[in-house]
Amino acid sequence: MRNEIQQLLEGVSQGKVSVEEALLTLKTKPFEDIGYAKVDMHRRIRQGTAEVIYGAGKTPEQMIGIIDVMKENGQDRILITRLSGEAAQEIQKSHPLHYYEEAGVGILGNLPEPDGIGTIVVATGGTSDIPVAEEAALTAQILGNQVIRLYDVGVAGLHRTLAHLDEIMSASVIIAIAGMEGALASVIGGLADCPVIAVPTSVGYGASFHGLSALLSMLNSCASGVSVVNIDNGFGAGYLANMINHMRQG
Amino acid sequence: MRNEIQQLLEGVSQGKVSVEEALLTLKTKPFEDIGYAKVDMHRRIRQGTAEVIYGAGKTPEQMIGIIDVMKENGQDRILITRLSGEAAQEIQKSHPLHYYEEAGVGILGNLPEPDGIGTIVVATGGTSDIPVAEEAALTAQILGNQVIRLYDVGVAGLHRTLAHLDEIMSASVIIAIAGMEGALASVIGGLADCPVIAVPTSVGYGASFHGLSALLSMLNSCASGVSVVNIDNGFGAGYLANMINHMRQG
Amino acid sequence: MRNEIQQLLEGVSQGKVSVEEALLTLKTKPFEDIGYAKVDMHRRIRQGTAEVIYGAGKTPEQMIGIIDVMKENGQDRILITRLSGEAAQEIQKSHPLHYYEEAGVGILGNLPEPDGIGTIVVATGGTSDIPVAEEAALTAQILGNQVIRLYDVGVAGLHRTLAHLDEIMSASVIIAIAGMEGALASVIGGLADCPVIAVPTSVGYGASFHGLSALLSMLNSCASGVSVVNIDNGFGAGYLANMINHMRQG
Amino acid sequence: MRNEIQQLLEGVSQGKVSVEEALLTLKTKPFEDIGYAKVDMHRRIRQGTAEVIYGAGKTPEQMIGIIDVMKENGQDRILITRLSGEAAQEIQKSHPLHYYEEAGVGILGNLPEPDGIGTIVVATGGTSDIPVAEEAALTAQILGNQVIRLYDVGVAGLHRTLAHLDEIMSASVIIAIAGMEGALASVIGGLADCPVIAVPTSVGYGASFHGLSALLSMLNSCASGVSVVNIDNGFGAGYLANMINHMRQG
Amino acid sequence: MRNEIQQLLEGVSQGKVSVEEALLTLKTKPFEDIGYAKVDMHRRIRQGTAEVIYGAGKTPEQMIGIIDVMKENGQDRILITRLSGEAAQEIQKSHPLHYYEEAGVGILGNLPEPDGIGTIVVATGGTSDIPVAEEAALTAQILGNQVIRLYDVGVAGLHRTLAHLDEIMSASVIIAIAGMEGALASVIGGLADCPVIAVPTSVGYGASFHGLSALLSMLNSCASGVSVVNIDNGFGAGYLANMINHMRQG
Amino acid sequence: MRNEIQQLLEGVSQGKVSVEEALLTLKTKPFEDIGYAKVDMHRRIRQGTAEVIYGAGKTPEQMIGIIDVMKENGQDRILITRLSGEAAQEIQKSHPLHYYEEAGVGILGNLPEPDGIGTIVVATGGTSDIPVAEEAALTAQILGNQVIRLYDVGVAGLHRTLAHLDEIMSASVIIAIAGMEGALASVIGGLADCPVIAVPTSVGYGASFHGLSALLSMLNSCASGVSVVNIDNGFGAGYLANMINHMRQG
Amino acid sequence: MRNEIQQLLEGVSQGKVSVEEALLTLKTKPFEDIGYAKVDMHRRIRQGTAEVIYGAGKTPEQMIGIIDVMKENGQDRILITRLSGEAAQEIQKSHPLHYYEEAGVGILGNLPEPDGIGTIVVATGGTSDIPVAEEAALTAQILGNQVIRLYDVGVAGLHRTLAHLDEIMSASVIIAIAGMEGALASVIGGLADCPVIAVPTSVGYGASFHGLSALLSMLNSCASGVSVVNIDNGFGAGYLANMINHMRQG
Amino acid sequence: MRNEIQQLLEGVSQGKVSVEEALLTLKTKPFEDIGYAKVDMHRRIRQGTAEVIYGAGKTPEQMIGIIDVMKENGQDRILITRLSGEAAQEIQKSHPLHYYEEAGVGILGNLPEPDGIGTIVVATGGTSDIPVAEEAALTAQILGNQVIRLYDVGVAGLHRTLAHLDEIMSASVIIAIAGMEGALASVIGGLADCPVIAVPTSVGYGASFHGLSALLSMLNSCASGVSVVNIDNGFGAGYLANMINHMRQG
C-alpha cells in the first residue's frame, strides 16, 4: 500500500504522472481493509498533519487495531474523539496516549506548535458547553492552529462577551458554542468580520429539546457569515475551522 | 345589568356587602349574551380603562353588535385587534373608529394621556416585527402607559441594541419582539433589571418554522426575568406589560 | 474588586459620579474569573438580597469554589438550584448548607423574613409538580417574598381550585405549575387580576411528551396576563415573580 | 340489493336465519359499486336513522350520484358534511337540500324530533369553534338526539362555564370543543359524571400549531371519562355521542 | 367529613335538600387534606364502587397514608395503578394488597362479581401491549364490568382478528390497544357497532416514536365510533368503558 | 450521442467490448445538456420501454424541449408526471399528448399491451386517494404491466377489503395507497404473500398532518413484506412495482 | 391442529380441495393459543423454510414455550431476532441455539446452503450500522439467499462505494443501511438497476434524532426503485429482500 | 454622518487615532435612522464592495428610500434579495436596476470583474434548486468572486456528479444546494478538500417537509468540512463563501 503511494509520488516528481492525475488517484482509490473498518490511508497525505478516529461505538481492541495500521503506514499523530475514560486506559496499556478527560479526547503523539497562521477563537455560552469546546479546540490544535479559548461568555451577561471584543475582532475564524437559546452565534456573528462556525450543544433542559432550540436559533441567525454544524459536533467545527484558517496558505 | 353592578357597589359603600363578597360576585357571575358572543361586562370595572375585542374570525356585523352593547354599558374606549382594513371600513360607517393599518388595530375613543407610572419599552429585532410591536404598543397605550418604541435593534448589529442602553436600563417593563433566532430577548434580559416579556414572531423563512425557532430560543433564555407569550401575540404582551407596570399602584 | 465598587458608590454619594454612570459601569464591567466560571460580582448589588448558583453540571468542588469567592465578596445568602443530595453532603462538609431535598435546592444563610410587600401564590396541578414548585417558592422566599403554597389544586377537580379563590384573588403574582394538560394556568389566569407566570412541568407520560403538551397549552392560554417560562424552570418563575412583586417598591 | 336484505330479514323473522347470522351477513357482505365510490347499503339498517356523505373532495356530480343510489335504496334522510356553499347550490338544483352554512353541512329530509333518550351537550371554548360544534350538533340531531348548545364558555372566563353547571351535570354525553389551550375538556371532565368527547379545533395562531396544542392538552386530560377525536372532527364526535347516548336503549 | 355527607344525604331523603342541590354540594366542595395530596371523598359516592390511587411518583408511605384516610371514610375497594413491585411489597406489610405484576396494578379488597350489565372487550394488537390491557381490564372489573380479553389479535394476521368476530359484535364497549401502526382500532371500529376506545401504546421502536405513530393513526381512524385516550392510558380507557357501559343503567 | 451508444453496442456484439464494460460505460457516462436540465440518454436503454419527465416546477417550454431531445434519440413513449391541465394543453399544441386529468399524468405514445408477466394490484383506502393511485397505475402500465385497480377498499369497511381477497392473494406485487390512518398497508400485508409497496397520501385533515400519520403507520406495519415510499409518490411505487414484477424475467 | 392441516393438504392432493381454497383456509383460519401468544402455524407452510420469533419484550421462558410448540409442529429452523445475550444463554440450556452477538440474533437449526437464486447485497454506511446489517443478512440467509456484505462503504468516502460497483450492479436486491444523513440509499439507488430496500438506523447523535434524519432522507430519495422500512428494522428488510429475490421462482 | 467617518479615518491616518480604536468605533456606533429601518453605514467600509438589502416584506417605496440613503453615502453597488418582479419594476422607474428573475435578485451598478482570487463552485441537486443557487451565485459575484455553476448534478445520477470532479477538486469553496434527501452535500464533501457550505432547499413534497429532510441530512453529513445555513438561504451561503474565499487575502 505504502509502496503504491510512494511510486505514485515518485511518478509525479519525475514528471511521469501529472499532479492532477495523482490527486485523482488518491481521491478515488485505496484504503486498507481490516475487517471491521476501512482505514483510509490517504487522508493524512491530503491533510498533512494528523489522522482521526471516531471512538464512539468502537471497542478498545478495534481502536488499537486501527492505530496499529495507521502507525505502520507512518502516521504518528492521531486524534481519537468520543473516547471514554475506560477505553483510554485500555489503549494506554499498549500506546502512549494522552487523555483529555473533559473533552473525551485522546491524542497519540504530541500537539504540534501553532504554525503561525491566523487564530481560531473557541467561545462558549456557559461552562457546561466546555466539553464540546475542548473537542473543537484540541482538533484545531492538533492540526497546527493557534487557539484562544473564551469560555462562559454567554449573552445573558453581555459584558462578558464584550470584554473579549479584541479577540473576537482579530480572529481569523470563530467557533461559537452554545446550548439553550444559542444566541451567542448571532451576537458574535454581528461583532466579527470573519467566518463563524456555530455549534449547538445538547446542554439545557425542557424546551431546549436536546439541542434543537440552539440548532434552530443558530440556523436562523440574522448575522452574515454564520454556518452551523451538528449538535455537539466539536470535532467537525474544529476541522472546518482549520480548513478555513489555512485558506490563507492556499 | 348596569343596575345590578350599581346596587352591588352601593351595597359595598353602605357596609351591607363586604368588599370580598362584591369582588367574588363580579368574578363569578354575569355577562351579557348576544347570541354569537358573551360580552363580559366586568372586565372594564376590574381594569378601569378600556375594553378589548379580538377581531379575528368575527364579521364586521358581529363586531358592531359587540361595540353597541359595550357602549350601552358605558364603555367608550374600545380596542379591536386583528382587524382587517375591510372590516375597519365597515365599522367606520357607524362608529368613529381610528384604524392603525400596520398594527391591524382599530381604536374607538381616544388614546389616553400616559398616566405617568413607569415606562414600557417595546423593542423589535427587525422591521418585519413592527406589526406585532405596534399591536403591543397600542394595547399598552390605550391602558394608559407611556411607551417607548425601539425598532430594528436586533443583536446581529449589537451596536444598535447598545445605542439604546439608557432606555433599556430605565424601563419598568420591556417587551422584546423578534422572529428568526429570537436572541433579542436574551440580550435585553441580560442588560435590563426589569421584567422582560418576550414575543416570538412568525417572521422568517425556512428553519424559523413559522416562529418555532424564536419561541424555543426565548423559552431557553439564560437571562433571568424573561417570560414568553404566544407567537405574534402583541396584545397579550402589551396587556401583561400594563399589568406589571401598574403593580406600582397596587 | 470590592474596593472598586466601594469607590464607585462613594463617588456617587459625593456627587462625582452620576447614578446613571455608576449603574452603567456596574452593568457593563466586571466579574471575577475563577477558571471554570465567571462569578458575577454585581448581581447581588443590583438585586440586594441573595446570590444564585445553578448546580446542574457543576462538581461539588466547583460549587465550593464559587461559594468561597462569593463569601469573600461579602455575600452570605446563597441559593443553589438543581443540587443533588450527594453534592449537598459534600458542600456541607465545609459550609453550613441547608438542603431541601424535594426541591433539590440548597441554601446558605437563613431565609429572610418576608418584607411585607405583596404575596406570591405558588399553585400546582398535582402532587408530582411539587419539586418544581418548591424550587420556585424557595427562590421567592430567599428574595424576601411572602409565599403561599396551593398544591394539588388541578382543574380536573375544579372545586379544589375554587376552594382557594380568596388566595388567588388577593395575590400580587401567581406562579401556576402543571404538567399533563397544563390547564391550571388558564383557569387561574381567568380568575386572577394579577400577572400569572405559567411553568409547564415534565410530569406525565405518553402524549405529554416531556412537558411539550403543557408548554403549548400554556402558551395558547386565552386568559390575559399569562406568560410562560421553560419546562420545569421553577427558579426562573420564582425570580421573575419576585421582580414583578417588587415593582411596588420601584 | 334491497331484495337480498329483505329476504335476509324475512328469514330472520321466520326463524330460518338466526339474528347473529343475519348481522354477520350484513357486516361482512354487500355494498353497491358506482365507480368512484362504494355506497354502503348496510349502515342505515344497522343505525336505523340516517346516512352520511363525507363531502370533502367529492364533486357535486359525485354526491348527487351517491344521493340517487341511496334514495333508490329507500334512504331519505341524508347528512352531507364538509359541504361548500357552491356544491350545496349545485345539489339543490335536483334535490331539496337544507344547507347549514356555518357548519358546512347539508341535510336531505327533515331533522327528526328528539327521541327523548338523554341529552347531548355541545360546548365550545370560543365563538370561532362554532362551525365544528354545529357539525357535531347537527350530526347528533339527525340521529334523533336532544342537543343543548353551550357556546363560548371557555375556561379563561370560568364563570361562563360554571353558569351552565346544571346542563353539564345533567347531560348524558358532553362534546367539549376547543382550540388554543383546549382546557375546556379537562374542566368539564372534572365537573361532569358522564362521558366527555373532546374535539380539538384548529382555531388559534402561533403555538397552537393548527390544533396540535389543543389535541395534546386534551389527550393529557387528568379528568377521567374524557376521550379525544381528530382535530375539527365534529361529525365523529356527534356520531360517537349518539352511539353512547343510545346505549340506554341497548 | 363522613358526617357532613351523611347529613346532606339525610337532608335529601327528608326532602329538606333537593337532589340537585346535594349533587352540587358534592361536586363543588370537600376533600380531605393530608399534606401531600388532597383525597377526594366524593368520588366513591358518585361512582359507587371503588376508589383509585395513581401510584406513579408516590412513595409507599404516601400511598399508605391515602389508603388509611380512604378506609376511615368507609371505602374498602381501592385500585392502585402504576404500582411497582417494590412499593407493592411495602404496602403489603400493612394492608392486604393483591398485586398484579404484569399490569403494575394493586387492588385492596376483592374484585366484585360482574354486575351483569353488558360486556367490555379488551383487545390488543400484540403480546407486548398486554400490560396496558391488564390495567384497563382490571379497572373495568373492579368497577363491576364483565370483561373479555382478546390478546394478540393484531391486523397483520387478520384471521386472528376475525376469529373473534362474535365477541367483537356482541360487545357493549371495546377497548382496542395497540402500538406500532395502531391499525387495530380502525379494523375493530369497522366491524363493531359499539363505541371503541382506542389506546395507543409506546410499544415499538424506530418510527413508532414512543407511541406517536399509533396515536396519530388512531386519531385518524376512518371508522366511526372510535375515540382515543393518552398513550399507555389503560386506566383511562377502562374507566371510560365502565362509564359508557353503565349508561344502560342511567 | 446516439452513435456513441450504437458503437458501444456494436462493440459488444462483435465481442470487442464485454457486457460488463458496456454496462459500466452506460452507467457512469453520458447525458445530454440542454441548459436547464441534463437529459439522461441511458435510462431507456437500461429499462427498455419508456422515459419519464417529472413535470412539477418545469415550464411547458422546458418540457417540450426535453421531449424533443428524447424523440431525437429515438424514444417515443414518454410519461410526464405532476402535469397540470394548462401545461398539458400547451404541450398538446406541438405533440400528441394524452392527458389523464385525475392522475395529473400525460403520456406520449400509446400504453403498451400488458406483457403477461404477473399482475400488479393498486388498492386505495378511499376515493380521495385515487389521483395518487392513478399515477402509480399508469406508471406500471406504461412499463408493460397488467394492473388491477381496487379503489375505496379501506379497512374501516373490512368487508370491502375482504371482497377482493382473490385479487390480493394472486397478485405479484401490491401497491397499497392510503391517507388518514394508513391501516390498509398492514391489513393487505397480512393477507398477501407478495411484496407490498405502501404509499401514504396527504389526504385527510387535522392530525393526519399532511400524510405524516399514514407515513408513520405504514413504517410501523407489523406485516412482513411491506416497505414505504414518500407521501403521494405514486410514480415511485409504480416504478418499483414494475421492477419487482419483472424480477421474474431476470 | 396438525391433523387439520394434514387433512387439508391431503384433500388438495386428492383433488377434493382446490389449491385456492386451501390457501384461503390457511390464510384465514387457525393458530395455536399458548396464553401469552398466538403461534401462527401457517407461516412456515406458506413460506417453506423457517419460522421467526420477535424476541424483544419476551421472557426466555415465553420464547422456549413458543419454540416448543413450533418444534412439535415440525418446524426446526427458527430465527429469533432482538435477542439479548442473557436470554440466549437461558434458551441454550434447553435448545441448541447458535447466538450471533453482534446481530442480537439466535438461530435454531443450521443456516441452509444458498439456493442459487440471485444475490442480495447488504451494504452499510459505517461500522456502527453493522448490527442492523447482520440482522438483515442472517434473515436473508436463513431463508436460503446468497448474501454479499459490503460494510463501511458510506458516501462521504465515495471511492469506497465505487470500489464495489460490480457487486452493486449484479445484485438482484440491495439492502442499503445507514444512519446519520442516510445518503447511501440514494447513491446506490442511482447506481443499481435492482430494487433497493433502505434501512435507516438510529446510529448518530444530535440532529440525527435517533434515525429521523436518515429516515426522511431515504423517503425523499430521488433515485427510483428505492423503498424504506422502519428505523433499525434489519429483519423486515431481509425478509422483504428474500420475497423479492424469490419472485424469480414465482 | 459621512463626515464623522471621514474625520475618524483622517484621525487614523494622522496617527491621532489608533487603528483598533477606529475599528471599535465603527463597530459599536453609528447607523442612519430613516424611520422604518436603520441603514448601516459601516458595512460597506468594512467589506469594501457592495451593500445588501433584504427585500422580503419591504415595500418598493421603502427600498427606494434605503437605496437613496445608500447612494448619498457613496455606495453604488447594491444587491437586493427576495425581490418580486412587481417591486423590481417599481424601483426601475427611478433607478437603473438589473433584475434577475429566476433568482429574485435585483442589482444596482454592474457586476464586478472577478478579482482572480480562488473559485467558488455553486452546485445543485436538481433544476428546481436553481433559484436558490442563483441567489448564492450572484451574491458571490457582486462581491468579486469567480463562480462556476454546476446545476442538476444530484447523486441519484452519480455520473453527473463525477463528470465534474475537476471543478469540485479545484474549487476554493463549494456551495452544495439540494432539496429532498440533500445527499449532494455529503458526496461533494467527501470528494472535495475545501470547505463546503450546504444549503437545504424547500424543494420537494411529502416527507421533505419543506426542507426539513434536506436540512437534517446535511447537518448529519459524515463528510468533514461541511457546514449548513438556513433552508433556501442562498444569500447567506454566497456571502460566507466570499468571506472564506477571501481569507487568502487576509
Side-chain angles (χ1 to χ4, degrees), chain F residues 11-12 22 26 43 59 68 78-81 85 92 94 107 124 132 139 142 169 175 184 198 206 229 248 250:
Chain F
V12 174
L26 288 168
R43 271 201 211 152
T59 63
D68 288 342
I78 301 172
L79 176 79
I80 313 180
T81 61
Q92 281 167 338
S94 58
I107 288 184
T124 76
V132 177
T139 300
I142 206 173
M169 286 181 58
I175 299 173
L184 187 67
V229 297
R248 297 180 177 240

Side-chain angles (χ1 to χ4, degrees), chain G residues 133-145:
Chain G
E134 280 300 310
E135 189 184 284
L138 288 167
T139 300
Q141 283 180 299
I142 204 173
L143 297 171
N145 299 278

Side-chain angles (χ1 to χ4, degrees), chain B residues 166-198:
Chain B
D166 280 1
E167 289 96 331
I168 291 170
M169 286 180 59
S170 61
S172 44
V173 189
I174 301 176
I175 299 173
I177 301 173
M180 304 298 287
E181 86 269 59
L184 186 67
S186 286
V187 169
I188 285 184
L191 291 172
D193 277 335
C194 69
V196 174
I197 303 167

Side-chain angles (χ1 to χ4, degrees), chain G residues 81-96:
Chain G
T81 60
R82 310 276 161 124
L83 182 66
S84 69
E86 295 72 37
Q89 285 181 350
E90 276 309 302
I91 295 172
Q92 281 167 339
K93 289 176 185 167
S94 57
H95 290 280

Side-chain angles (χ1 to χ4, degrees), chain H residues 15 19 45 49 52-53 62 79 91 108 124 126 128 151 157 175 177 186 188 197 203-204 210 219 225 229 236 242 245:
Chain H
V19 170
I45 294 166
T49 52
V52 179
I53 299 171
Q62 289 177 323
L79 175 79
I91 297 171
L108 275 106
T124 76
S128 311
Y151 291 169
I175 299 173
I177 302 172
S186 286
I188 285 185
I197 303 167
V203 165
H210 310 294
L219 283 167
V229 297
N242 166 65
N245 186 39

Side-chain angles (χ1 to χ4, degrees), chain F residues 46-104:
Chain F
R46 298 200 295 266
Q47 181 172 297
T49 53
E51 189 62 69
V52 179
I53 299 172
Y54 178 69
K58 295 205 178 68
T59 63
E61 291 68 38
Q62 289 177 323
M63 286 186 276
I64 289 168
I66 297 174
I67 291 166
D68 288 342
V69 174
M70 286 176 169
K71 292 212 150 182
E72 278 169 35
N73 283 280
Q75 298 156 332
D76 46 37
R77 189 173 284 150
I78 301 172
L79 176 79
I80 313 180
T81 61
R82 310 275 161 121
L83 182 67
S84 69
E86 296 72 37
Q89 286 181 350
E90 276 310 302
I91 296 171
Q92 281 167 338
K93 289 177 184 164
S94 58
H95 289 280
L97 178 92
H98 187 92
Y99 184 59
Y100 297 82
E101 191 176 354
E102 193 159 32

Side-chain angles (χ1 to χ4, degrees), chain G residues 117-134:
Chain G
I117 301 168
T119 304
I120 295 174
V121 165
V122 179
T124 76
T127 55
S128 312
D129 303 314
I130 292 179
V132 177
E134 280 300 310

